[in-house]
Amino acid sequence: MIDRLSLRTALIATLLSVAGCASGPGGGIYVPIGSEPAKAPEPPRTSTDSEESEAPVWRKSEQPEAAPETAAPETREPARSSSPSYRETGDGLSPAALSLVREADQLLAQGNVSGAIARLERAQRIAPRSAEVYFKLSEAYVAGNQLGSAEQFTLKGLSLAGSDIRLQRAGWLLLADIRRARGNVAGADQAEERAAAL
């Protein structure tokens, strides 16, 4: 008896819940064929007189530039350029990251690719803006025959090389080798052209 009562109560509660979900305050969720769905009410309008009396809002980029203030040279802030910030070079290697890169080189020489990748990933966490670490990671992935990952790490390293021509040239040549190994001869030629242009 109690089981039947609780079963009926649960069934009724379920049916009411489903029925409540099927229709909302605006009616059903389905629109019959040939009729248009109900349109949302228009937002309240404000009078046009109040819009004209308010001062216009200017964007910072639209405001006229103010004349430079003449202050004492020691109190004046250095001039900031309006161009986006760009680092000339990526971060250098810290002693800890350099030690991990050297360990990885030794492991690669011994043929332990997975150990070298693990060391280089640790070095990358220590120096995440170092192009050299990304290029070494790429070399390790090439040794492990994971050319897709190698290409991605090379591209990341190139993005961090900044204006360091030595790093850029090494990165483009590495990318050319990887692309050629993947069968992308046109991409390899483009990368070699970029390296030669430096």
Side-chain angles (χ1 to χ4, degrees), residues 22-31:
S23 65
I29 59 172
Y30 298 105
V31 178

Side-chain angles (χ1 to χ4, degrees), residues 47-117:
S47 67
T48 56
D49 297 334
S50 65
E51 289 178 10
E52 293 172 2
S53 64
E54 292 179 13
V57 177
W58 293 93
R59 293 185 181 100
K60 190 171 186 177
S61 62
E62 294 173 344
Q63 292 182 0
E65 292 185 25
E69 297 176 16
T70 53
E74 53 277 343
T75 60
R76 204 178 320 154
E77 288 185 31
R80 294 184 180 166
S81 87
S82 61
S83 63
S85 69
Y86 173 74
R87 300 181 83 179
E88 290 296 319
T89 59
D91 291 343
L93 285 177
S94 67
L98 183 61
S99 172
L100 288 167
V101 168
R102 288 183 180 150
E103 284 181 37
D105 283 337
Q106 292 172 353
L107 290 170
L108 275 176
Q110 296 168 0
N112 185 353
V113 176
S114 61
I117 290 173

Side-chain angles (χ1 to χ4, degrees), residues 39-45:
K39 294 183 180 178
E42 290 188 29
R45 296 181 185 246

Side-chain angles (χ1 to χ4, degrees), residues 117 120-121 124 133-141 153:
I117 290 173
L120 290 167
E121 286 174 346
Q124 184 238 343
V133 173
Y134 285 97
F135 291 153
K136 288 291 185 177
L137 256 169
S138 179
E139 291 172 5
Y141 279 113
F153 279 112

